[in-house]
């Protein structure tokens, strides 16, 4: 069943072009308009939504963070992302104009389920982004947008994560179209870019030998820091979580802009730091700020491992290693920049002789609080 791969995780990382492609299937009509026939929430209700709250745990919550950047930009609706277990106990402000989006691979995570129940009791509508058909969360939600990642066996989430991000983009584009924030041809344009993402992910998978080499060289590391900005920030958090879970290495993800506000004190000789660099074709100031962060930490002795877009030569003077990803629109980049970090964690853990499919102390779905 592992299809010739050493682990389910390795297989599932390689399933990602298909997982993303399948999640995109049958979501548009011949004009490129998004059609979510199965959404079951009145269009008038979705038009009147004035706030979105994403509830999820762990990796699924990081997919929610990515969704926030895209949905706020495309739809001009404020989006909050809440860890489901914090949300329920916080007396959150929700009403009939609030749309709650619950993201879960298993559809069984107890905290997320409880958040869904709480939101519905307060009159909010809930859309579930879920991978497992017939699970509890979609049954208890008003609507569901299934990710089509296929069964995810390895405990650490990989293909479900990219599929969750993809589904969140689809939802964002749908809302933008419905509420008139975007013209149909603009929606079709972004959707066409999304359709190109599976091939770009495949390119990363095909060229990942350098990522593996660097990972193997770091099996003795005791701490790895991850820095990202904008949509690269949740990617940094996800990269750090994968490394903790799989390789039992202390790892921390930071917003690059926070560096001077504390984390830079951690940098000393040889400290590995993985930096996710925003596209130089995006907002120029963001790119140059992150490049100067790399320069600053390198000057203090960090070993800099940089995830950058093909052609971004600005990073070369300050990068000890570069993991290249293909060019893509800024908001869609997490579908690419995440992939080398998954491979990195998987390979590093494997080189330490660890079981990447069943990391210690973890369960695939957390059905207790
Ligand atoms: C990390 C991981 C977990 C899950 C979290 C939520 O690799 O797998 O953080 O993302 O437990 O699980 P689901 O998505 O099933 O609700």
């Amino acid at each position: 069943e592992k299809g010739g791969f050493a682990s389910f995780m390795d297989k599932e990382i390689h399933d990602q072009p298909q997982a993303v492609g399948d999640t995109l299937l049958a979501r548009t009509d011949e004009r490129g308009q998004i059609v979510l026939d199965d959404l079951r929430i009145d269009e008038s209700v979705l038009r009147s939504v004035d706030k979105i709250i994403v509830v999820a745990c762990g990796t699924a919550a990081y997919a929610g963070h990515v969704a926030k950047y895209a949905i706020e930009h495309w739809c001009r609706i404020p989006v909050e992302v809440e860890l489901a277990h914090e949300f329920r106990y916080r007396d959150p402000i929700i009403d009939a104009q609030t749309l709650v989006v619950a993201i879960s691979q298993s559809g069984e995570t107890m905290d997320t389920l409880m958040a869904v129940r709480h939101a519905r009791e307060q009159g909010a509508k809930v859309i579930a982004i879920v991978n497992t058909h017939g699970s509890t969360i979609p049954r208890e939600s008003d609507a569901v947008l299934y990710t089509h990642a296929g069964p995810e066996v390895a405990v650490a989430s990989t293909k479900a994560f990219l599929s969750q991000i993809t589904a969140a983009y689809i939802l964002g584009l749908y809302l933008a179209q419905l509420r008139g924030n975007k013209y149909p041809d603009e929606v079709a344009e972004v959707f066409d870019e999304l359709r190109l993402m599976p091939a770009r992910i495949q390119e990363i998978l095909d060229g990942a030998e350098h990522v593996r080499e660097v990972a193997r060289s770091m099996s003795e590391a005791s701490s790895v820091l991850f820095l990202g900005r904008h949509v690269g920030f949740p990617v940094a958090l996800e990269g750090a979580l994968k490394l903790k879970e799989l390789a039992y290495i202390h790892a921390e993800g930071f917003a690059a802009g926070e560096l001077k506000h504390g984390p830079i004190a951690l940098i000393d000789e040889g400290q590995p730091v993985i930096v996710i660099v925003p596209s130089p074709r995006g907002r120029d100031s963001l790119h140059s700020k992150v490049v100067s962060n790399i320069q600053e930490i390198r000057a203090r002795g960090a070993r800099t491992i940089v995830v950058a877009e093909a052609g971004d030569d600005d990073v070369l003077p300050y990068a000890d290693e570069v993991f290249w990803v293909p060019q893509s629109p800024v908001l869609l980049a997490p579908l690419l920049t995440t992939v080398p970090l998954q491979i990195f964690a998987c390979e590093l853990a494997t080189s330490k002789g660890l079981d990447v499919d069943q990391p210690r102390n973890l369960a695939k779905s957390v059905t207790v609080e």
Side-chain angles (χ1 to χ4, degrees), residues 57-60 103-109 112 155-157 164 238 241-242 245 364-366:
C57 301
T59 288
I103 306 182
S104 174
Q105 188 288 126
S106 62
E108 300 294 348
T109 300
T112 309
V155 165
S157 187
Q164 286 160 351
E238 171 64 2
L241 181 61
K242 286 287 98 88
E245 287 183 291
K364 181 66 186 161
S365 83
V366 183

Side-chain angles (χ1 to χ4, degrees), residues 30 70 152 187 222 245 346:
E30 58 290 343
E152 192 178 61
V187 170
S222 57
E245 287 183 291
C346 185

